PDB file of all heavy atoms in Angstrom:
ATOM      1  N   ASP A  22      67.740 -80.926-120.522  1.00 96.00           N
ATOM      2  CA  ASP A  22      68.283 -79.934-119.599  1.00 96.00           C
ATOM      3  C   ASP A  22      68.983 -80.621-118.405  1.00 96.00           C
ATOM      4  O   ASP A  22      68.569 -81.728-117.987  1.00 96.00           O
ATOM      5  CB  ASP A  22      67.195 -79.030-119.049  1.00 96.00           C
ATOM      6  CG  ASP A  22      66.719 -77.997-120.118  1.00 96.00           C
ATOM      7  OD1 ASP A  22      67.239 -78.074-121.245  1.00 96.00           O
ATOM      8  OD2 ASP A  22      65.816 -77.216-119.811  1.00 96.00           O
ATOM      9  N   ILE A  23      70.002 -79.991-117.922  1.00 95.00           N
ATOM     10  CA  ILE A  23      70.731 -80.496-116.713  1.00 95.00           C
ATOM     11  C   ILE A  23      70.677 -79.476-115.602  1.00 95.00           C
ATOM     12  O   ILE A  23      70.891 -78.287-115.897  1.00 95.00           O
ATOM     13  CB  ILE A  23      72.219 -80.780-117.091  1.00 95.00           C
ATOM     14  CG1 ILE A  23      72.287 -81.800-118.286  1.00 95.00           C
ATOM     15  CG2 ILE A  23      72.983 -81.363-115.911  1.00 95.00           C
ATOM     16  CD1 ILE A  23      71.719 -83.158-117.989  1.00 95.00           C
ATOM     17  N   ASP A  24      70.403 -79.893-114.358  1.00 94.00           N
ATOM     18  CA  ASP A  24      70.344 -78.955-113.276  1.00 94.00           C
ATOM     19  C   ASP A  24      71.792 -78.656-112.793  1.00 94.00           C
ATOM     20  O   ASP A  24      72.791 -79.131-113.307  1.00 94.00           O
ATOM     21  CB  ASP A  24      69.478 -79.460-112.131  1.00 94.00           C
ATOM     22  CG  ASP A  24      70.031 -80.702-111.445  1.00 94.00           C
ATOM     23  OD1 ASP A  24      71.207 -81.061-111.589  1.00 94.00           O
ATOM     24  OD2 ASP A  24      69.252 -81.383-110.751  1.00 94.00           O
ATOM     25  N   ASP A  25      71.850 -77.844-111.716  1.00 92.00           N
ATOM     26  CA  ASP A  25      73.136 -77.418-111.161  1.00 92.00           C
ATOM     27  C   ASP A  25      73.979 -78.535-110.608  1.00 92.00           C
ATOM     28  O   ASP A  25      75.204 -78.406-110.417  1.00 92.00           O
ATOM     29  CB  ASP A  25      72.907 -76.301-110.073  1.00 92.00           C
ATOM     30  CG  ASP A  25      72.301 -75.038-110.659  1.00 92.00           C
ATOM     31  OD1 ASP A  25      72.478 -74.843-111.869  1.00 92.00           O
ATOM     32  OD2 ASP A  25      71.679 -74.273-109.898  1.00 92.00           O
ATOM     33  N   ASN A  26      73.314 -79.665-110.326  1.00 94.00           N
ATOM     34  CA  ASN A  26      74.063 -80.833-109.808  1.00 94.00           C
ATOM     35  C   ASN A  26      74.366 -81.845-110.909  1.00 94.00           C
ATOM     36  O   ASN A  26      74.648 -83.034-110.595  1.00 94.00           O
ATOM     37  CB  ASN A  26      73.236 -81.472-108.689  1.00 94.00           C
ATOM     38  CG  ASN A  26      73.081 -80.538-107.509  1.00 94.00           C
ATOM     39  OD1 ASN A  26      73.999 -79.905-107.079  1.00 94.00           O
ATOM     40  ND2 ASN A  26      71.841 -80.474-106.970  1.00 94.00           N
ATOM     41  N   ASP A  27      74.240 -81.423-112.151  1.00 94.00           N
ATOM     42  CA  ASP A  27      74.515 -82.231-113.341  1.00 94.00           C
ATOM     43  C   ASP A  27      73.555 -83.459-113.391  1.00 94.00           C
ATOM     44  O   ASP A  27      73.915 -84.495-113.945  1.00 94.00           O
ATOM     45  CB  ASP A  27      75.944 -82.762-113.308  1.00 94.00           C
ATOM     46  CG  ASP A  27      76.945 -81.622-113.534  1.00 94.00           C
ATOM     47  OD1 ASP A  27      76.573 -80.696-114.280  1.00 94.00           O
ATOM     48  OD2 ASP A  27      78.073 -81.735-113.023  1.00 94.00           O
ATOM     49  N   LYS A  28      72.337 -83.241-112.886  1.00 95.00           N
ATOM     50  CA  LYS A  28      71.322 -84.304-112.978  1.00 95.00           C
ATOM     51  C   LYS A  28      70.272 -83.893-114.004  1.00 95.00           C
ATOM     52  O   LYS A  28      69.975 -82.693-114.120  1.00 95.00           O
ATOM     53  CB  LYS A  28      70.698 -84.525-111.639  1.00 95.00           C
ATOM     54  CG  LYS A  28      71.638 -85.105-110.581  1.00 95.00           C
ATOM     55  CD  LYS A  28      70.912 -85.397-109.285  1.00 95.00           C
ATOM     56  CE  LYS A  28      71.866 -86.037-108.267  1.00 95.00           C
ATOM     57  NZ  LYS A  28      71.228 -86.284-106.942  1.00 95.00           N
ATOM     58  N   PRO A  29      69.692 -84.827-114.747  1.00 96.00           N
ATOM     59  CA  PRO A  29      68.653 -84.499-115.773  1.00 96.00           C
ATOM     60  C   PRO A  29      67.441 -83.841-115.115  1.00 96.00           C
ATOM     61  O   PRO A  29      67.008 -84.272-114.014  1.00 96.00           O
ATOM     62  CB  PRO A  29      68.303 -85.905-116.341  1.00 96.00           C
ATOM     63  CG  PRO A  29      69.461 -86.749-116.023  1.00 96.00           C
ATOM     64  CD  PRO A  29      70.009 -86.298-114.716  1.00 96.00           C
ATOM     65  N   VAL A  30      66.953 -82.817-115.797  1.00 96.00           N
ATOM     66  CA  VAL A  30      65.741 -82.176-115.337  1.00 96.00           C
ATOM     67  C   VAL A  30      64.534 -82.872-115.997  1.00 96.00           C
ATOM     68  O   VAL A  30      64.618 -83.310-117.124  1.00 96.00           O
ATOM     69  CB  VAL A  30      65.789 -80.666-115.779  1.00 96.00           C
ATOM     70  CG1 VAL A  30      64.447 -79.986-115.454  1.00 96.00           C
ATOM     71  CG2 VAL A  30      66.909 -79.981-115.113  1.00 96.00           C
ATOM     72  N   GLU A  31      63.437 -82.969-115.226  1.00 96.00           N
ATOM     73  CA  GLU A  31      62.217 -83.571-115.812  1.00 96.00           C
ATOM     74  C   GLU A  31      61.821 -82.873-117.109  1.00 96.00           C
ATOM     75  O   GLU A  31      61.867 -81.653-117.207  1.00 96.00           O
ATOM     76  CB  GLU A  31      61.118 -83.445-114.785  1.00 96.00           C
ATOM     77  CG  GLU A  31      61.199 -84.379-113.600  1.00 96.00           C
ATOM     78  CD  GLU A  31      60.757 -85.776-113.972  1.00 96.00           C
ATOM     79  OE1 GLU A  31      60.151 -86.013-115.019  1.00 96.00           O
ATOM     80  OE2 GLU A  31      61.122 -86.751-113.205  1.00 96.00           O
ATOM     81  N   PRO A  32      61.422 -83.643-118.091  1.00 97.00           N
ATOM     82  CA  PRO A  32      60.924 -83.015-119.344  1.00 97.00           C
ATOM     83  C   PRO A  32      59.801 -82.038-119.044  1.00 97.00           C
ATOM     84  O   PRO A  32      58.895 -82.327-118.297  1.00 97.00           O
ATOM     85  CB  PRO A  32      60.458 -84.254-120.140  1.00 97.00           C
ATOM     86  CG  PRO A  32      61.256 -85.389-119.659  1.00 97.00           C
ATOM     87  CD  PRO A  32      61.390 -85.143-118.189  1.00 97.00           C
ATOM     88  N   HIS A  33      59.879 -80.870-119.657  1.00 97.00           N
ATOM     89  CA  HIS A  33      58.885 -79.817-119.459  1.00 97.00           C
ATOM     90  C   HIS A  33      58.703 -78.990-120.686  1.00 97.00           C
ATOM     91  O   HIS A  33      59.542 -79.011-121.591  1.00 97.00           O
ATOM     92  CB  HIS A  33      59.361 -78.951-118.274  1.00 97.00           C
ATOM     93  CG  HIS A  33      60.685 -78.330-118.491  1.00 97.00           C
ATOM     94  ND1 HIS A  33      61.864 -79.046-118.245  1.00 97.00           N
ATOM     95  CD2 HIS A  33      61.095 -77.125-118.938  1.00 97.00           C
ATOM     96  CE1 HIS A  33      62.914 -78.270-118.500  1.00 97.00           C
ATOM     97  NE2 HIS A  33      62.475 -77.087-118.923  1.00 97.00           N
ATOM     98  N   ILE A  34      57.620 -78.233-120.721  1.00 97.00           N
ATOM     99  CA  ILE A  34      57.398 -77.380-121.912  1.00 97.00           C
ATOM    100  C   ILE A  34      57.694 -75.915-121.447  1.00 97.00           C
ATOM    101  O   ILE A  34      57.561 -75.528-120.310  1.00 97.00           O
ATOM    102  CB  ILE A  34      55.958 -77.442-122.421  1.00 97.00           C
ATOM    103  CG1 ILE A  34      54.938 -76.934-121.363  1.00 97.00           C
ATOM    104  CG2 ILE A  34      55.594 -78.780-122.925  1.00 97.00           C
ATOM    105  CD1 ILE A  34      53.574 -76.614-121.953  1.00 97.00           C
ATOM    106  N   HIS A  35      58.184 -75.150-122.471  1.00 97.00           N
ATOM    107  CA  HIS A  35      58.206 -73.696-122.323  1.00 97.00           C
ATOM    108  C   HIS A  35      57.170 -73.165-123.389  1.00 97.00           C
ATOM    109  O   HIS A  35      57.389 -73.422-124.590  1.00 97.00           O
ATOM    110  CB  HIS A  35      59.592 -73.143-122.634  1.00 97.00           C
ATOM    111  CG  HIS A  35      60.549 -73.309-121.533  1.00 97.00           C
ATOM    112  ND1 HIS A  35      60.806 -72.374-120.589  1.00 97.00           N
ATOM    113  CD2 HIS A  35      61.291 -74.421-121.138  1.00 97.00           C
ATOM    114  CE1 HIS A  35      61.703 -72.797-119.713  1.00 97.00           C
ATOM    115  NE2 HIS A  35      61.974 -74.079-120.030  1.00 97.00           N
ATOM    116  N   LEU A  36      56.140 -72.523-122.915  1.00 98.00           N
ATOM    117  CA  LEU A  36      55.120 -72.053-123.797  1.00 98.00           C
ATOM    118  C   LEU A  36      55.029 -70.521-123.713  1.00 98.00           C
ATOM    119  O   LEU A  36      54.988 -69.958-122.618  1.00 98.00           O
ATOM    120  CB  LEU A  36      53.761 -72.635-123.347  1.00 98.00           C
ATOM    121  CG  LEU A  36      52.472 -72.100-123.956  1.00 98.00           C
ATOM    122  CD1 LEU A  36      52.439 -72.354-125.457  1.00 98.00           C
ATOM    123  CD2 LEU A  36      51.261 -72.688-123.305  1.00 98.00           C
ATOM    124  N   VAL A  37      55.016 -69.903-124.898  1.00 97.00           N
ATOM    125  CA  VAL A  37      54.964 -68.442-125.015  1.00 97.00           C
ATOM    126  C   VAL A  37      53.580 -68.082-125.615  1.00 97.00           C
ATOM    127  O   VAL A  37      53.241 -68.678-126.660  1.00 97.00           O
ATOM    128  CB  VAL A  37      56.085 -67.850-125.835  1.00 97.00           C
ATOM    129  CG1 VAL A  37      55.967 -66.330-125.926  1.00 97.00           C
ATOM    130  CG2 VAL A  37      57.428 -68.207-125.252  1.00 97.00           C
ATOM    131  N   ILE A  38      52.839 -67.222-124.981  1.00 97.00           N
ATOM    132  CA  ILE A  38      51.501 -66.838-125.464  1.00 97.00           C
ATOM    133  C   ILE A  38      51.405 -65.353-125.594  1.00 97.00           C
ATOM    134  O   ILE A  38      51.829 -64.563-124.770  1.00 97.00           O
ATOM    135  CB  ILE A  38      50.424 -67.301-124.470  1.00 97.00           C
ATOM    136  CG1 ILE A  38      50.488 -68.864-124.296  1.00 97.00           C
ATOM    137  CG2 ILE A  38      49.060 -66.905-124.945  1.00 97.00           C
ATOM    138  CD1 ILE A  38      49.473 -69.376-123.279  1.00 97.00           C
ATOM    139  N   VAL A  39      50.744 -64.915-126.722  1.00 96.00           N
ATOM    140  CA  VAL A  39      50.411 -63.519-126.920  1.00 96.00           C
ATOM    141  C   VAL A  39      48.886 -63.454-127.038  1.00 96.00           C
ATOM    142  O   VAL A  39      48.253 -64.130-127.838  1.00 96.00           O
ATOM    143  CB  VAL A  39      51.032 -62.980-128.219  1.00 96.00           C
ATOM    144  CG1 VAL A  39      50.668 -61.502-128.361  1.00 96.00           C
ATOM    145  CG2 VAL A  39      52.572 -63.086-128.166  1.00 96.00           C
ATOM    146  N   LEU A  40      48.277 -62.623-126.228  1.00 97.00           N
ATOM    147  CA  LEU A  40      46.827 -62.467-126.197  1.00 97.00           C
ATOM    148  C   LEU A  40      46.398 -61.174-126.885  1.00 97.00           C
ATOM    149  O   LEU A  40      47.222 -60.228-127.030  1.00 97.00           O
ATOM    150  CB  LEU A  40      46.316 -62.429-124.764  1.00 97.00           C
ATOM    151  CG  LEU A  40      46.712 -63.669-123.897  1.00 97.00           C
ATOM    152  CD1 LEU A  40      46.391 -63.400-122.441  1.00 97.00           C
ATOM    153  CD2 LEU A  40      45.952 -64.924-124.375  1.00 97.00           C
ATOM    154  N   ASP A  41      45.139 -61.053-127.293  1.00 96.00           N
ATOM    155  CA  ASP A  41      44.721 -59.831-127.938  1.00 96.00           C
ATOM    156  C   ASP A  41      44.332 -58.756-126.924  1.00 96.00           C
ATOM    157  O   ASP A  41      44.071 -57.600-127.243  1.00 96.00           O
ATOM    158  CB  ASP A  41      43.503 -60.140-128.891  1.00 96.00           C
ATOM    159  CG  ASP A  41      42.316 -60.693-128.116  1.00 96.00           C
ATOM    160  OD1 ASP A  41      42.379 -60.895-126.911  1.00 96.00           O
ATOM    161  OD2 ASP A  41      41.258 -60.960-128.813  1.00 96.00           O
ATOM    162  N   GLU A  42      44.252 -59.154-125.660  1.00 96.00           N
ATOM    163  CA  GLU A  42      43.997 -58.226-124.544  1.00 96.00           C
ATOM    164  C   GLU A  42      44.566 -58.813-123.265  1.00 96.00           C
ATOM    165  O   GLU A  42      44.805 -59.980-123.190  1.00 96.00           O
ATOM    166  CB  GLU A  42      42.526 -57.915-124.390  1.00 96.00           C
ATOM    167  CG  GLU A  42      41.650 -59.136-124.014  1.00 96.00           C
ATOM    168  CD  GLU A  42      40.203 -58.782-123.835  1.00 96.00           C
ATOM    169  OE1 GLU A  42      39.876 -57.594-123.718  1.00 96.00           O
ATOM    170  OE2 GLU A  42      39.361 -59.706-123.749  1.00 96.00           O
ATOM    171  N   SER A  43      44.723 -57.953-122.283  1.00 95.00           N
ATOM    172  CA  SER A  43      45.252 -58.491-120.982  1.00 95.00           C
ATOM    173  C   SER A  43      44.183 -59.278-120.259  1.00 95.00           C
ATOM    174  O   SER A  43      43.049 -58.886-120.146  1.00 95.00           O
ATOM    175  CB  SER A  43      45.697 -57.281-120.111  1.00 95.00           C
ATOM    176  OG  SER A  43      46.749 -56.602-120.687  1.00 95.00           O
ATOM    177  N   LEU A  44      44.626 -60.450-119.768  1.00 96.00           N
ATOM    178  CA  LEU A  44      43.725 -61.345-118.990  1.00 96.00           C
ATOM    179  C   LEU A  44      44.341 -61.632-117.673  1.00 96.00           C
ATOM    180  O   LEU A  44      45.628 -61.644-117.578  1.00 96.00           O
ATOM    181  CB  LEU A  44      43.453 -62.651-119.754  1.00 96.00           C
ATOM    182  CG  LEU A  44      42.741 -62.526-121.136  1.00 96.00           C
ATOM    183  CD1 LEU A  44      42.591 -63.938-121.719  1.00 96.00           C
ATOM    184  CD2 LEU A  44      41.393 -61.874-120.970  1.00 96.00           C
ATOM    185  N   ASN A  45      43.530 -61.971-116.673  1.00 95.00           N
ATOM    186  CA  ASN A  45      44.013 -62.368-115.399  1.00 95.00           C
ATOM    187  C   ASN A  45      44.784 -63.670-115.500  1.00 95.00           C
ATOM    188  O   ASN A  45      44.443 -64.527-116.315  1.00 95.00           O
ATOM    189  CB  ASN A  45      42.848 -62.517-114.383  1.00 95.00           C
ATOM    190  CG  ASN A  45      43.288 -62.747-113.037  1.00 95.00           C
ATOM    191  OD1 ASN A  45      43.427 -63.924-112.603  1.00 95.00           O
ATOM    192  ND2 ASN A  45      43.538 -61.649-112.284  1.00 95.00           N
ATOM    193  N   ILE A  46      45.828 -63.829-114.695  1.00 95.00           N
ATOM    194  CA  ILE A  46      46.608 -65.030-114.828  1.00 95.00           C
ATOM    195  C   ILE A  46      45.830 -66.296-114.487  1.00 95.00           C
ATOM    196  O   ILE A  46      46.144 -67.409-115.045  1.00 95.00           O
ATOM    197  CB  ILE A  46      47.876 -64.963-113.884  1.00 95.00           C
ATOM    198  CG1 ILE A  46      47.471 -64.710-112.444  1.00 95.00           C
ATOM    199  CG2 ILE A  46      48.798 -63.879-114.359  1.00 95.00           C
ATOM    200  CD1 ILE A  46      48.615 -64.853-111.506  1.00 95.00           C
TER     201      ILE A  46
END
């Protein structure tokens, strides 16, 4: 990924989770 200043963004994860019930964050 590149930021708005055309500089590399630190490596990071995007994690998507589905739970069987609502839990507090």
Side-chain angles (χ1 to χ4, degrees):
D22 289 359
I23 303 296
D24 65 17
D25 293 338
N26 297 316
D27 291 330
K28 294 182 178 180
V30 175
E31 284 283 345
H33 55 279
I34 65 164
H35 283 265
L36 170 62
V37 180
I38 300 176
V39 180
L40 304 168
D41 62 358
E42 63 178 345
S43 295
L44 297 178
N45 187 270
I46 58 172

